[in-house]
């Protein structure tokens, strides 16, 4: 029986599968380091002071998949570590297609600032 409590819930080598869960507590995932709870707070990059490396964000207010307001929160939280290039209206992942010169210039300028 697939729901037998004695079944080993860990993924088998060479098998691509959904992350295994602890049968007693489905919110706990088996990870390479053992059982642990997913800490969503630690994954929230809009928390001030969390980002410690230089980061370039290229985004457009025309993105219909990722709201620009989330980018603004990320940029505000990242402080001096984050540079934002606001591309002209472009849908998700289309910033280069709408403004290739601006896109390339933003990357070149950001890389120069790191030198």
């Amino acid at each position: 029986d697939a729901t037998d409590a004695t079944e080993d819930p860990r993924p088998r080598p060479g098998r691509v599968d959904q992350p295994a869960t602890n049968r007693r507590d489905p919110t706990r995932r088996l990870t390479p380091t053992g059982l642990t709870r997913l800490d969503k707070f630690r994954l929230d990059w809009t928390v001030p002071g969390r980002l410690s490396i230089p980061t370039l964000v290229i985004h457009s207010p025309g993105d219909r998949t990722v709201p620009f307001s989330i980018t603004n929160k990320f940029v505000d939280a990242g402080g001096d570590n984050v540079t934002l290039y606001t591309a002209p209206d472009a849908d998700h992942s289309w910033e280069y297609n709408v403004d290739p010169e601006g896109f390339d210039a933003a990357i070149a300028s950001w890389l120069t600032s790191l030198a």
Side-chain angles (χ1 to χ4, degrees):
D1 179 33
T3 60
D4 183 0
T6 62
E7 179 185 338
D8 185 351
R10 293 175 294 183
R12 293 182 192 103
R15 186 175 126 190
V16 178
D17 209 345
Q18 293 292 328
T21 58
N22 179 316
R23 285 200 165 78
R24 291 189 185 104
D25 183 357
T27 65
R28 294 174 65 101
R29 302 275 187 235
L30 290 175
T31 66
T33 58
L35 283 175
T36 184
R37 286 194 181 274
L38 180 62
D39 186 349
K40 293 178 185 175
F41 178 76
R42 290 182 60 199
L43 297 174
D44 184 357
W45 291 98
T46 63
V47 174
R50 176 124 331 142
L51 188 66
S52 61
I53 59 171
T55 304
L56 172 63
V57 177
I58 298 176
H59 198 195
S60 169
D63 189 330
R64 295 178 292 170
T65 303
V66 178
F68 201 73
S69 60
I70 293 173
T71 294
N72 285 331
K73 287 179 184 177
F74 176 80
V75 170
D76 290 344
D80 293 339
N81 287 320
V82 180
T83 301
L84 171 65
Y85 170 68
T86 303
D89 279 348
D91 205 353
H92 189 67
S93 299
W94 276 79
E95 289 84 357
Y96 178 82
N97 298 302
V98 172
D99 183 21
E101 294 83 15
F103 188 97
D104 288 345
I107 293 171
S109 174
W110 180 72
L111 289 172
T112 301
S113 75
L114 298 178

